[in-house]
Amino acid sequence: MIPFIILALVGQLIASISQMLLKKSSQKEYPNFIRQYLNVLVIMGYGLLVVSMFIAIVCYGHMPYMYVVILEPVGYIMVMFLSRMLFAEKITKNKIIGMLLILSGICVFYLI
């Protein structure tokens, strides 16, 4: 089961990277409507999202539900740190409170 937990975390990282690619694409100006949705960043972003979905399907079939609920919100935390590294977004007090709420929710769910 440990390999599936690691694979699920890799899947969450891939999904987070795909969100970064889509955000990067949305920050650019494109000459027309078609290029806005058919460019390398968007295609790679959605491609990685599909890959992460297939990884999740495989992992969730081999893991107890308890682990799925714990691993799924980790993606939100990854996105926050990737946004800080790639886009120099500030980690605000509200983001830290949100992250702590996510982590406390995981702890409460796991302990009950």
Side-chain angles (χ1 to χ4, degrees):
M1 180 171 51
I2 301 255
F4 289 106
I5 292 173
I6 294 170
L7 187 60
L9 288 172
V10 169
Q12 288 293 329
L13 181 62
I14 291 171
S16 299
I17 291 170
S18 76
Q19 291 178 28
M20 296 300 110
L21 291 172
L22 292 171
K23 181 171 182 168
K24 187 134 181 106
S25 174
S26 72
Q27 293 176 337
K28 291 184 175 183
E29 290 289 326
Y30 294 97
N32 58 38
F33 183 76
I34 300 289
R35 292 282 294 157
Q36 184 174 355
Y37 293 101
L38 290 177
N39 62 65
V40 175
L41 293 174
V42 170
I43 293 169
M44 284 177 43
Y46 282 119
L48 287 176
L49 203 56
V50 169
V51 169
S52 74
M53 180 189 65
F54 282 119
I55 290 173
I57 290 169
V58 169
C59 290
Y60 296 165
H62 293 88
M63 290 178 3
Y65 181 69
M66 183 71 105
Y67 292 109
V68 172
V69 173
I70 292 170
L71 292 174
E72 189 66 31
V74 171
Y76 300 119
I77 297 168
M78 287 181 185
V79 166
M80 183 177 69
F81 287 114
L82 284 173
S83 294
R84 172 70 180 142
M85 291 187 314
L86 298 175
F87 300 113
E89 289 184 3
K90 291 184 179 181
I91 297 178
T92 63
K93 181 181 175 182
N94 286 340
K95 289 180 183 179
I96 290 173
I97 291 170
M99 183 178 61
L100 291 174
L101 285 172
I102 289 171
L103 293 174
S104 63
I106 290 170
C107 291
V108 166
F109 183 83
Y110 187 72
L111 295 174
I112 293 179

